[in-house]
Amino acid sequence: MTNLYPDDSYTLHTDAYQINMIQTYFQQGIADKHAVFEVFFRDMPFHNGYAVYAGLEHIVHYIQNLHFSQTDIEYLREAEEYPEDFLKYLENFKFTGTVRSAVEGELVYAHEPILQVEGPLADCQLVETALLNIINYQTLIATKAARIRSVAGDDALMEFGTRRAQEFDAAIWGTRAAYIGGFNATSNVRAGKIFGIPISGTHAHALVQTYGNDYEAFKAYATTHRDCVFLVDTYDTLRSGVPTAIRVAKELGDQINFQGVRIDSGDMAYLSKRIRQKLDEAGFPNAKIYASNDLDEKTIQSLKMQDAKIDVWGIGTRLITAFDQPALGAVYKMVAIEGDDGEMRATIKLSNNAEKVTTPGKKQVWRITKKADGKSEGDYVTLIDEDPRREESLFMFHPSYTYINKTVTDFNARPVLQDIFKDGELVYKLPTLSAIRDRCRGALANLWPEYKRDLNPQKYPVDLSQDCWDNKMAIIKDIHDYVHKLPE
Ligand SMILES: Nc1ncnc2c1ncn2[C@@H]1O[C@H](COP(=O)(O)OP(=O)(O)OP(=O)(O)O)[C@@H](O)[C@H]1O
Ligand SMILES: O=P(O)(O)OC[C@H]1O[C@H](OP(=O)(O)OP(=O)(O)O)[C@H](O)[C@@H]1O
Ligand SMILES: O=C(O)c1cccnc1
């Protein structure tokens, strides 16, 4: 049985261990200790050369509405029997942290901070789960959408995934992410209403089945709608669907705006070529051929190689479920904590698995581009007080294989992490969705094609500054020295 509370919020949309840790911090008197956490992911999704960052708008809404409601407190009292003074603390909780983040539509890469939360330890801890939940999904879908866009050229891409999405929220935020990544429209009407994404749609097989034949169905649809795309594969695409679409388009002429036909099964290369021929011969060279049926960047690319005559692609399942990579794997790690002396101390998470070793310290990511052509040179991760804009040249080296390096001159350095909340106050003006989408398109235009190819792209450099690297090595050495002194 679902209990929906009138004061429901997403504040309890967190893992129980976060509240348990906050309880410890509270009872130990360190809940307000200053801390810094950063979000990053370790592997590029879909083995892609870039990822498209999405999720910030949802994060802003989430943080703005962060408070423990009366029923939240009652639930925690009953379910976990937290002490009353801790519940009182939660009841008065207000997020006062500072959030810096990449902005939506920006390209981001593995092993660099894409969002940073700084502030009271408790505040930082509470938001981990929701931030990761949002970023992990939306960035994944925006990236998948950009991959699909990269093979579709200028063709129209329609997002059809709601029925196959992992529930309501995924459909809604997923279609927004798809739009950021380069889709043109969605079939989800609510997403149109909420986000202003253009909505678009054809009709389903059920319409044809209702009338029992293509002719009556198309005619009924055409007399009730101006912009008509007829679904032609209910009974027989070439013998019935397409000739009937042409017949109705001719019979109704100017009374309708015949847009084209959709195919949803069969060999799409063969069918689309035959359909194109028939539409052209019938005098409808501008009528478009829509295709849907488990499409993704691989099938689109293959169909294009087969010279399929498809103009509009309807994409559902494989986009909205990130079919070939179900999770981005972004993590949220502490990088600095206030020491007992009040000074901030950079912290690390060591691991036997080299991939899992974090980069300590509060950082900034700088996007380095050549002044001459604006093209990407790589990302340069620094400690927060460094500013590469003051430098004449940058020595950029691979963080593991340091002999791979280059010196960059005549460059621009742009900070990727921007202030979103300062001490709990929103200081960032959320851009329009179309501005976000344009940003993504612009960022991709400045990326070398070697990083953009679909298969085995070059690895985009994400390098640490010398200070950042030295700091990491020094901390690793300190910890090794400490561990080696421990008894076996
Ligand atoms: N010419 C083609 N080249 C590559 N892939 C294609 C081609 N034509 C169709 N496909 C893809 O092949 C897959 C199977 O399509 P097909 O229509 O044969 O089977 P289906 O999905 O079982 O059909 P239905 O939806 O009627 O059940 C789909 O993902 C479709 O997009
Ligand atoms: O194939 P997708 O990329 O997920 O796109 C969405 C699918 O939704 C509709 O199919 P429907 O739900 O009627 O199922 P069916 O066509 O697979 O029978 C539509 O005809 C597409 O095939
Ligand atoms: O409008 C369409 O054609 C459509 C919408 C959702 C799913 N499949 C198709």
Side-chain angles (χ1 to χ4, degrees), residues 279-291:
L279 288 171
D280 289 351
E281 282 168 7
F284 295 106
N286 295 326
K288 304 243 180 302
I289 300 176
Y290 291 55

Side-chain angles (χ1 to χ4, degrees), residues 36 38 59 109 142 149 243 260 323 337 358 363 391 444 472:
V36 186
E38 288 175 353
I59 287 173
Y109 301 90
R149 166 52 70 205
F323 200 72
I337 180 81
T358 60
K363 299 182 282 298
E391 312 296 330
L444 282 168
K472 181 172 183 172

